[in-house]
Amino acid sequence: MAENNTKMEPLTFTTLYSKPFWNNTDSTKSKRFLVNLLNGGVQFTIESMGPDNKFTSGQKVSLTFMNFNDMALVNMVEEMINRMEDIIDHGKTIPKEGLCYHNNKSIKEATQKLEFNVFSPDDTARSKYSGYVKLSKKKDDGKFDDQIIWFGQAKNIFRSTESEKKPSRDYEAYTFLQDLSRIFKSIVARSNLSRDAHFKRYLDNSAKKDKNSTNNNNNNQKSNNYNNSSFDDDFDF
């Protein structure tokens, strides 16, 4: 899960997924989760709402993983889906146990951590379940900069019978996890059109850079040959 330095090559950037989590009582607490393709890697970002009510001006944490294990993310989010079903649909008690993807051999040495968690709440009268997605990035001082999105009780589906028990699939967090599962499954299957278009642009940009570098080297070589052959000789003008 090692990181790779993309600063020395041209950047090719594609937004693969964007999901806002709105706070209806306080807009400044709204956040957005993004999945981007950055050159040959995958970047996860959580942005907070800025003072001008724009996500782009708020605080954010971004993690970039090269050689990302796409199927590992599928397994993580599908376990979160199963936990929601167990808690909401089957009344099971699930302990608070986060699943973390990181960028090193040991989590103690990791500088980037992507964590998902779904568990049973302490107060079942207030909420059916608890959960979050969290991004952590180590700063120069050794401390971690965190951004977290707590899964609220918002629902995408409203049923006409209010007394009817709401299944897990009605909840916004459930469909969010489903989105991530479907996207990364399509990446594993090589059927994701956005990824295909991204890598075509990425390889094209890399080829142009290599061609420009080769041309510059050839021009430098021609200049050196000209200097050596022409001006080192003693011509009688």
Side-chain angles (χ1 to χ4, degrees):
M1 301 183 195
E3 295 174 76
N4 188 28
N5 189 355
T6 61
K7 294 181 180 179
M8 301 304 294
E9 57 182 333
L11 295 182
T12 306
F13 186 88
T14 302
T15 297
L16 197 61
Y17 180 72
S18 177
K19 166 67 178 174
F21 289 81
W22 303 109
N23 188 305
N24 294 327
T25 57
D26 186 354
S27 63
T28 62
K29 295 181 180 179
S30 297
K31 295 189 177 183
R32 182 168 63 176
F33 183 89
L34 299 105
V35 181
N36 300 307
L37 300 178
L38 181 62
N39 288 3
V42 180
Q43 184 183 76
F44 299 89
T45 300
I46 293 179
E47 299 174 329
S48 296
M49 183 71 77
D52 56 355
N53 290 326
K54 294 181 179 179
F55 287 114
T56 53
S57 62
Q59 293 183 342
K60 70 178 182 179
V61 169
S62 292
L63 312 180
T64 304
F65 298 99
M66 309 306 294
N67 304 314
F68 186 71
N69 190 329
D70 303 299
M71 200 63 208
L73 185 93
V74 172
N75 293 334
M76 289 171 65
V77 297
E78 289 198 342
E79 180 166 334
M80 298 301 111
I81 290 172
N82 292 336
R83 290 186 189 184
M84 286 193 68
E85 292 173 349
D86 286 342
I87 295 170
I88 298 173
D89 302 338
H90 307 298
K92 295 182 180 180
T93 300
I94 303 297
K96 186 176 182 179
E97 180 185 13
L99 298 185
C100 184
Y101 186 96
H102 60 86
N103 68 330
N104 215 312
K105 294 180 180 179
S106 168
I107 194 169
K108 293 181 179 180
E109 300 174 0
T111 59
Q112 297 188 129
K113 295 185 287 186
L114 165 65
E115 182 180 350
F116 290 89
N117 204 347
V118 169
F119 50 94
S120 298
D122 295 329
D123 186 358
T124 56
R126 295 185 59 185
S127 57
K128 294 293 184 181
Y129 73 100
S130 294
Y132 60 82
V133 55
K134 180 181 179 182
L135 304 184
S136 301
K137 187 171 186 176
K138 183 173 285 188
K139 299 182 292 185
D140 293 339
D141 60 6
K143 298 180 181 179
F144 276 92
D145 191 10
D146 300 328
Q147 276 281 16
I148 186 169
I149 294 176
W150 285 94
F151 299 147
Q153 306 299 301
K155 302 179 186 65
N156 290 321
I157 300 173
F158 294 88
R159 298 177 182 268
S160 57
T161 306
E162 288 299 326
S163 60
E164 184 179 349
K165 183 180 178 180
K166 306 297 188 296
S168 56
R169 62 180 176 272
D170 286 8
Y171 288 82
E172 182 182 32
Y174 189 91
T175 56
F176 164 69
L177 296 169
Q178 282 184 315
D179 286 342
L180 295 181
S181 175
R182 301 297 191 273
I183 288 170
F184 281 89
K185 276 184 176 179
S186 69
I187 290 176
V188 172
R190 299 296 188 266
S191 61
N192 189 291
L193 298 180
S194 296
R195 180 186 181 277
D196 181 61
H198 168 83
F199 270 91
K200 285 180 180 178
R201 291 194 298 112
Y202 169 53
L203 294 175
D204 184 56
N205 290 340
S206 297
K208 288 179 180 178
K209 175 180 179 292
D210 293 339
K211 184 177 179 180
N212 291 336
S213 178
T214 301
N215 290 338
N216 290 335
N217 290 335
N218 290 338
N219 290 335
N220 291 335
Q221 185 64 38
K222 289 180 180 178
S223 176
N224 290 334
N225 291 339
Y226 179 75
N227 290 335
N228 292 333
S229 62
S230 299
F231 294 98
D232 287 348
D233 296 331
D234 188 13
F235 289 97
D236 186 12
F237 291 99

